[in-house]
Every structure is written in C-alpha cells, then in structure tokens.
Amino acid sequence: MDGWICPEIDKKATGKRIRRRMKVMGISVKDIQSYLGLSCVQSVYHWLEGMSMPTVDNMYALSELLQVSVDTLLVGNRSLREDEIYGGRMTPYYILTQGELRPVRGLELAASFTGEVSGSRQTVY
C-alpha cells in the first residue's frame, strides 16, 4: 500500500494529556497507584513522562477514573472521523462559555474534554 502510514500513539503527548486531566480532576499519582493496585508510583511517572504506556487494562481503568474515554486520553497520528470524535451522536454536545450555551462537534468537542480549548473556563453538557 503506497502512501499508507501505520497509526502510532504519541507517548509524550498522551502522558501530557493524562497529566492535564489528572490536574482537572484533582487526582494525584498516588491516587492512580492505589486505584490501579500498582506496587509503586514509578510506572505512573513513566506514563506521564512518555517513557512507556499503561497496559490496555490500566488505560481502560484510568479512563474510568478520569471520567473520559480511552480515545480522549490517547494522542495519535491518525485523523479521526467526525463520528469517532463524538460517538456518532446526532445531537451535538453543548458548551457553556462566558454565559452562552453553544453547540460543538468534532475536534472542538474532543479538545474541550482535554483542556486544549483556549479561553475561559468551559462546561460541557
């Protein structure tokens, strides 16, 4: 397949995204260690620094703890289809920004869950 690129996970960017979500949720490295039943916190620090990735089971549990989907936590090099980003939901999500409720879809929605939308504080409905 000429021109085909195998999708890859960006470990450093994924670690940054996990760290950012931990901060939003007020969750510490020790909290994650305890929740996942890890013997030491070093594994979590390795994930956050992009040195390694959680196992699939740990990533799934981490997404539950951080209250986002696994896809929201992962940063890769493939472009997502619109239906993958908001789960094929026909009704858009809404964001409350500066007292105004407005519909959002696609990458703006994914970014709102991970704190990548610049500007004032936003609430997703």
Side-chain angles (χ1 to χ4, degrees):
M1 291 187 186
D2 291 336
W4 185 76
I5 298 173
C6 183
E8 295 177 348
I9 294 172
D10 183 332
K11 292 187 281 190
K12 277 206 175 290
T14 298
K16 287 179 183 179
R17 188 170 282 177
I18 293 169
R19 185 182 300 272
R20 191 170 32 243
R21 188 64 188 166
M22 287 169 59
K23 185 176 181 181
V24 167
M25 298 294 295
I27 294 173
S28 71
V29 171
K30 288 290 258 179
D31 294 333
I32 291 174
Q33 175 197 8
S34 175
Y35 181 76
L36 297 176
L38 302 173
S39 59
C40 66
V41 295
Q42 202 58 38
S43 295
V44 180
Y45 284 116
H46 284 179
W47 306 338
L48 299 178
E49 296 301 319
M51 296 169 63
S52 65
M53 291 289 297
T55 64
V56 174
D57 288 340
N58 283 341
M59 182 62 85
Y60 184 72
L62 193 57
S63 76
E64 288 295 310
L65 177 65
L66 298 175
Q67 299 177 6
V68 293
S69 70
V70 171
D71 274 351
T72 299
L73 290 177
L74 294 174
V75 179
N77 67 346
R78 73 178 173 106
S79 53
L80 297 176
R81 295 187 323 258
E82 195 72 12
D83 64 326
E84 290 179 305
I85 294 170
Y86 61 72
R89 182 178 166 157
M90 297 305 289
T91 306
Y93 287 93
Y94 291 87
I95 289 184
L96 180 62
T97 306
Q98 298 175 347
E100 182 180 326
L101 197 61
R102 63 183 182 81
V104 292
R105 294 179 185 248
L107 293 176
E108 185 180 8
L109 175 63
S112 68
F113 282 112
T114 59
E116 295 171 2
V117 174
S118 61
S120 64
R121 185 176 182 94
Q122 299 181 341
T123 305
V124 178
Y125 295 94

